[in-house]
Amino acid sequence: MFILPYQMKQLQCCHHHSAHWNQPRPLVEKRSRRRLTHHLCHAAAPAPASQSSNKKHRVVFLGTPEVAATVLQRLLTAARQPDSQFEVSRVVSQPGKPKGRGNKSVPVPTPVELEAQGAGMVSGEQIWCPASAKDPAFLEALRQLQPDLCITAAYGNILPQAFLDIPALGTLNIHP
């Protein structure tokens, strides 16, 4: 079951929400935390036999520092479970910044980018590092992906309304 760390004690799974994944949903900000928790819970729970399909729900993760890399690691682990109904299809991070005195021209990948690479994701293909979340090319690529949910953890960039309108279930901003 996919549960965010701060929800461990509060979550009591319901029995009737797993069918709601295919219905259009308003932005996360307009729903209560409890209702969203039910949807996230059922994202990884086995679907009833009548609704079973091979299609996994697409989740896009956005984060940059080490604390976000830990969240990504847990999401990737949950997505690999045999009964998981979601996949982390893309990882979005801030562009790497040069570090050290002599490395002014060589950007160092962010901890989130390194975690995604370590999990076998490919930079440029499955790992995106746009200069801005407002970049039209980035927004168009996200639209074409048609994600079901975006999860942000310390991404470090304000997401424009054009971004927030893309995921079918909205965007969840967590604070690990």
Side-chain angles (χ1 to χ4, degrees):
M1 177 179 284
F2 169 62
I3 303 171
L4 299 175
Y6 68 88
Q7 296 171 324
M8 289 289 200
K9 291 182 183 174
Q10 319 172 32
L11 182 64
Q12 290 187 356
C13 190
C14 70
H15 61 281
H16 62 280
H17 286 285
S18 61
H20 294 286
W21 268 101
N22 295 326
Q23 297 177 2
R25 289 285 178 215
L27 293 175
V28 169
E29 291 80 13
K30 295 181 181 177
R31 280 184 270 148
S32 71
R33 177 184 285 181
R34 171 177 267 176
R35 186 170 178 177
L36 177 63
T37 300
H38 292 298
H39 288 286
L40 287 175
C41 171
H42 287 291
S50 63
Q51 297 172 358
S52 182
S53 72
N54 292 336
K55 181 182 180 271
K56 290 191 172 202
H57 301 286
R58 289 179 299 274
V59 172
V60 174
F61 178 79
L62 297 91
T64 302
E66 189 64 43
V67 67
T70 303
V71 173
L72 175 60
Q73 179 186 28
R74 290 183 181 177
L75 278 172
L76 291 169
T77 300
R80 285 189 211 107
Q81 298 302 310
D83 62 346
S84 173
Q85 292 184 12
F86 75 96
E87 66 183 3
V88 179
S89 56
R90 297 294 185 276
V91 171
V92 180
S93 185
Q94 294 287 320
K97 296 188 171 53
K99 293 200 178 188
R101 292 183 176 218
N103 294 328
K104 300 266 186 229
S105 63
V106 180
V108 176
T110 66
V112 165
E113 188 176 357
L114 291 173
E115 182 68 39
Q117 288 172 350
M121 299 179 100
V122 180
S123 289
E125 187 177 312
Q126 296 167 305
I127 304 169
W128 296 342
C129 298
S132 169
K134 296 176 185 177
D135 180 4
F138 166 66
L139 292 173
E140 183 55 33
L142 192 63
R143 262 186 222 95
Q144 289 179 5
L145 180 63
Q146 297 178 336
D148 294 303
L149 178 69
C150 289
I151 299 175
T152 67
Y155 175 54
N157 202 337
I158 295 175
L159 300 173
Q161 190 63 46
F163 176 96
L164 296 173
D165 291 339
I166 296 172
L169 295 173
T171 299
L172 175 65
N173 183 26
I174 63 170
H175 298 271

